[in-house]
Amino acid sequence: MKAKNHSLTAHIAGSRKLILQLARNDSKKKFAGSYLGVFWAFVQPVITVLLYWFVFEKGLHQRTTDLRSGIEVPFVLWLTGGLVPWFYFQESVTGGTGVLVEYDYLVKKVVFQIDVLPVVKLISALFTHLFFIVFTVLLYLFYGYGPDLYTLQVIYYSVCMMVLAAGVVYATSAVTVFFRDMKEVVAIILQVGIWVTPIMWSFESMSGMPEWALALLRINPMYYVVAGYRDALINKVWFWENPGQTAVFWAVTALFLLFGSSVFRRLRPHFADVL
């Protein structure tokens, strides 16, 4: 098991130049032929942030007071801190789930290391994510919350998210080759996930829930990432100050990664035959 996992890591490390090139091409290909090109990659998430902000802050202000209890910063900052990491996770998992079908011509090549293809989608989504990190920092600066050393933790939490997404994508991309409806299943799970994760609501507002239910919600690994972004940007808390939650995140993420790589490895010999 360890040798095979090491082999997967070695393939990714040894193919880093190829991965970066494929990721750049993948980003360009998404909007090839459109007049504004990659501009569209940024427009939709920005509009989504503004829409959620308007609905929760303006349209339903009184009705969402309880959901926003405990939030001491402008709601748009708190909301952006949760949505920006979710945008990356959603894009990388959605794109990664169908990556083997999309690049079937590479999968059929005997000499090509198809292990790297899921990582291509993770890096491709990272280009857009980096833009939104800059956008978020500037938005916070506009409201008087300038960056500091705590802000650098965004790098750590981004790595956490990439490792988590990798575990998910290795499993879903392999299954999609045989079960094409997996993309729709993943889309539904992500749709539910954005509401299960405390992005539009705070844990302080859930004080009436049973403790076991709150503990179950905290097991969600994206809770750790979203809370971490807010700790870095708003609360100014170092990640090692939450050792219990950090341990839970990496334990759950390790299980995702081991499961995903195992599924991928077992199904890989049959990819070319099916595609």
Side-chain angles (χ1 to χ4, degrees), residues 46 49-50 80 84 130-140:
V46 169
V49 170
L50 293 175
T80 304
V84 166
L130 291 175
F131 165 83
F132 277 106
I133 289 177
V134 174
F135 167 79
T136 301
V137 170
L138 292 176
L139 180 64
Y140 273 69

Side-chain angles (χ1 to χ4, degrees), residues 172-193:
T172 57
S173 63
V175 173
T176 299
V177 174
F178 306 90
F179 178 63
R180 301 299 173 89
D181 290 347
M182 176 56 68
K183 293 182 68 175
E184 280 65 39
V185 172
V186 168
I188 292 173
I189 293 174
L190 288 172
Q191 194 172 22
V192 173

Side-chain angles (χ1 to χ4, degrees), residues 114-135:
I114 60 175
D115 311 60
V116 306
L117 286 177
V119 183
V120 169
K121 289 295 184 179
L122 300 183
I123 302 299
S124 175
L126 186 61
F127 295 148
T128 307
H129 184 59
L130 291 175
F131 165 83
F132 277 106
I133 289 177
V134 174
F135 167 79

Side-chain angles (χ1 to χ4, degrees), residues 8-243:
L8 176 60
T9 305
H11 287 164
I12 294 173
S15 305
R16 56 188 179 278
K17 291 184 178 179
L18 174 63
I19 291 173
L20 287 173
Q21 182 60 47
L22 288 173
R24 282 195 294 266
N25 292 340
D26 185 82
S27 295
K28 295 176 182 177
K29 184 176 65 174
K30 290 177 186 176
F31 304 97
S34 63
Y35 287 109
L36 298 179
V38 296
F39 177 73
W40 292 114
F42 311 126
V43 171
Q44 183 176 355
V46 169
I47 290 177
T48 302
V49 170
L50 293 175
L51 181 61
Y52 279 129
W53 169 77
F54 179 80
V55 170
F56 283 91
E57 178 70 10
K58 303 299 181 182
L60 300 176
H61 180 73
Q62 295 299 325
R63 295 184 181 182
T64 60
T65 299
D66 291 339
L67 292 177
R68 294 184 283 111
S69 63
I71 302 174
E72 299 178 354
V73 298
F75 184 66
V76 66
L77 299 185
W78 190 84
L79 181 64
T80 304
L83 281 175
V84 166
W86 182 264
F87 286 151
Y88 171 81
F89 184 73
Q90 179 175 266
E91 182 182 354
S92 59
V93 171
T94 301
T97 295
V99 68
L100 297 179
V101 176
E102 180 180 349
Y103 288 93
D104 60 343
Y105 59 92
L106 293 178
V107 175
K108 294 174 183 178
K109 289 187 177 181
V110 178
V111 296
F112 188 81
Q113 295 290 350
I114 60 175
D115 311 60
V116 306
L117 286 177
V119 183
V120 169
K121 289 295 184 179
L122 300 183
I123 302 299
S124 175
L126 186 61
F127 295 148
T128 307
H129 184 59
L130 291 175
F131 165 83
F132 277 106
I133 289 177
V134 174
F135 167 79
T136 301
V137 170
L138 292 176
L139 180 64
Y140 273 69
L141 187 61
F142 176 78
Y143 277 87
Y145 293 82
D148 52 22
L149 285 177
Y150 290 97
T151 307
L152 294 177
Q153 291 184 108
V154 167
I155 299 173
Y156 162 73
Y157 288 111
S158 294
V159 172
C160 291
M161 191 164 45
M162 290 182 69
V163 176
L164 172 63
V168 174
V169 165
Y170 270 103
T172 57
S173 63
V175 173
T176 299
V177 174
F178 306 90
F179 178 63
R180 301 299 173 89
D181 290 347
M182 176 56 68
K183 293 182 68 175
E184 280 65 39
V185 172
V186 168
I188 292 173
I189 293 174
L190 288 172
Q191 194 172 22
V192 173
I194 194 173
W195 295 103
V196 174
T197 306
I199 295 175
M200 265 74 76
W201 52 272
S202 67
F203 260 96
E204 287 77 4
S205 66
M206 299 290 112
S207 57
M209 291 183 64
E211 190 57 37
W212 64 265
L214 293 175
L216 191 62
L217 288 172
R218 287 191 177 97
I219 294 176
N220 172 8
M222 277 305 293
Y223 159 72
Y224 176 76
V225 175
V226 168
Y229 268 66
R230 288 170 176 155
D231 282 343
L233 296 167
I234 300 171
N235 302 322
K236 307 304 179 184
V237 176
W238 295 109
F239 70 88
W240 57 76
E241 295 182 52
N242 296 311

